[in-house]
Amino acid sequence: VDDDDVDDVDDNDDEDEELVPYNPKNLPLGWDGKPIPYWLYKLHGLNLYFNCEICGNFKYRGPKAFQRHFAEWRHAHGMRCLGIPNTAHFANVTLIEDARALWEKIKAEKNKDKFQKETEEEFEDSHGNVVSRKVYNDLKRQGLL
């Protein structure tokens, strides 16, 4: 092995080290390939990580990315897999158990608001009186109509 070949290998290592910027705090890189300033990192909340169980425990860096992810495909796909529509009711819901509980509550409210034939149906007798179905059937059975 020539000494010249060994020197060439060492020169390549020095060039690679120059390409990687010094980044001890593991800050995200800016548009110029250098770490963004620490104050900007803190200002945008990039030091905060948000976990979403619906997205397969994916971690989002910063509140802006976290809020944006609710409208993205990964969250919508996770909700679809659970059989839950991805509506505004589920904004900021990241736990599967919470999403299912909220969906059951919404379904119960919808069923409660649905027209119930037995209790809400009204009948009019020959005198023009409006009564519920139950009262109408009772009066009819008694022969009062």
Side-chain angles (χ1 to χ4, degrees):
V1 176
D2 294 336
D3 289 335
D4 294 334
D5 293 337
V6 173
D7 290 338
D8 290 340
V9 172
D10 290 340
D11 290 340
N12 289 339
D13 290 341
D14 291 340
E15 291 173 11
D16 292 340
E17 290 174 6
E18 291 173 8
L19 295 177
V20 177
Y22 179 67
N23 193 1
K25 294 182 179 178
N26 198 23
L27 299 173
L29 301 178
W31 59 270
D32 57 355
K34 295 179 183 175
I36 63 171
Y38 189 69
W39 65 268
L40 189 62
Y41 171 77
K42 295 284 278 189
L43 178 70
H44 289 294
L46 299 177
N47 57 331
L48 304 173
Y49 289 92
F50 298 92
N51 190 27
C52 183
E53 191 177 293
I54 294 170
C55 298
N57 288 324
F58 196 83
K59 291 187 181 182
Y60 295 93
R61 190 176 204 172
K64 187 175 179 182
F66 178 69
Q67 286 300 323
R68 194 179 324 120
H69 103 275
F70 288 107
E72 292 176 351
W73 68 270
R74 181 175 289 143
H75 193 79
H77 177 71
M79 295 291 279
R80 203 175 311 115
C81 289
L82 293 172
I84 301 172
N86 192 21
T87 60
H89 296 98
F90 299 96
N92 296 323
V93 176
T94 59
L95 299 176
I96 292 173
E97 185 178 323
D98 292 347
R100 284 187 173 148
L102 182 57
W103 178 234
E104 292 302 321
K105 181 179 175 187
I106 290 171
K107 285 196 305 190
E109 286 178 9
K110 282 184 179 179
N111 287 337
K112 183 180 74 172
D113 293 340
K114 193 185 291 186
F115 179 75
Q116 298 169 354
K117 188 175 180 179
E118 294 299 319
T119 58
E120 295 178 6
E121 191 173 22
E122 295 178 339
F123 288 85
E124 186 175 346
D125 64 6
S126 59
H127 300 292
N129 298 323
V130 177
V131 293
S132 68
R133 180 186 190 119
K134 182 180 177 189
V135 172
Y136 180 81
N137 288 335
D138 288 345
L139 291 173
K140 191 174 181 181
R141 245 184 278 124
Q142 293 173 8
L144 297 174
L145 296 178

